[in-house]
Amino acid sequence: MVPTPIGRLLLVASARGLVRISFDGRWSYAELGPDWHEGSELLREAAQQLRDYFDGTRRSFTLALAPSGTAFQQRVWDALALIPYGAVESYASVAARIGAPAAVRAVGAANGRNPLPIVVPCHRVIGSDGGLTGFGGGLALKRRLLAHEGADLGQVRDTPQASLPLA
């Protein structure tokens, strides 16, 4: 568990890389799986990079990542990693980036299953209408992370947590 300004984060790693980041109160030991490691050098480095991010001295992460997901999810998560610090993109933009412009809802679903929030910045994705939609830590936390990064929130508005992007 890593204490941060947004609460404690559980970091999980395998021998291949960082597998999961979970918000405090939103995980169980059953999720960890048989190959998780406690106290590894990777976890120490991930904790330090997260501290640096919250201190405002880090804008990107340089960690070995090993999230488990489908090939489509992996493509979406790779595209999320390309969204610059302090910027926001729509689900439609991410769908176009991965060459699947009609797959906006599938991109939203993959975004929602991102096991590495913050490091793989799913919080930087908003609806095409400028709405803050879905985030595992809640919309208030999504807005807080974007504000931390200095994103222009003037045109961003809150929408119900349960909504999925339409375009």
Side-chain angles (χ1 to χ4, degrees), residues 29-69:
Y29 283 104
E31 292 180 66
L32 299 181
D35 63 345
W36 77 285
H37 294 264
E38 186 173 20
S40 70
E41 181 57 36
L42 172 62
L43 290 175
R44 284 187 286 281
E45 180 60 26
Q48 183 59 54
Q49 288 192 26
L50 283 163
R51 282 190 290 274
D52 293 345
Y53 168 83
F54 285 110
D55 288 345
T57 60
R58 175 172 290 279
R59 292 177 167 233
S60 62
F61 296 89
T62 56
L63 298 164
L65 305 179
S68 180

Side-chain angles (χ1 to χ4, degrees), residues 111-150:
N111 194 64
R113 288 183 181 86
N114 173 20
L116 296 168
I118 303 169
V119 171
V120 176
C122 55
H123 62 279
R124 296 179 188 155
V125 182
I126 63 172
S128 293
D129 64 355
L132 286 186
T133 59
F135 184 64
L139 294 183
L141 179 55
K142 183 172 186 166
R143 182 175 283 281
R144 188 170 171 193
L145 289 169
L146 290 171
H148 168 75
E149 294 182 5

Side-chain angles (χ1 to χ4, degrees), residues 2-49:
V2 177
T4 74
I6 62 167
R8 296 180 311 162
L9 298 175
L10 172 72
L11 308 182
V12 180
S14 71
R16 296 179 311 127
L18 196 60
V19 173
R20 173 172 290 284
I21 297 173
S22 293
F23 299 106
D24 199 10
R26 297 179 187 237
W27 64 275
S28 71
Y29 283 104
E31 292 180 66
L32 299 181
D35 63 345
W36 77 285
H37 294 264
E38 186 173 20
S40 70
E41 181 57 36
L42 172 62
L43 290 175
R44 284 187 286 281
E45 180 60 26
Q48 183 59 54
Q49 288 192 26

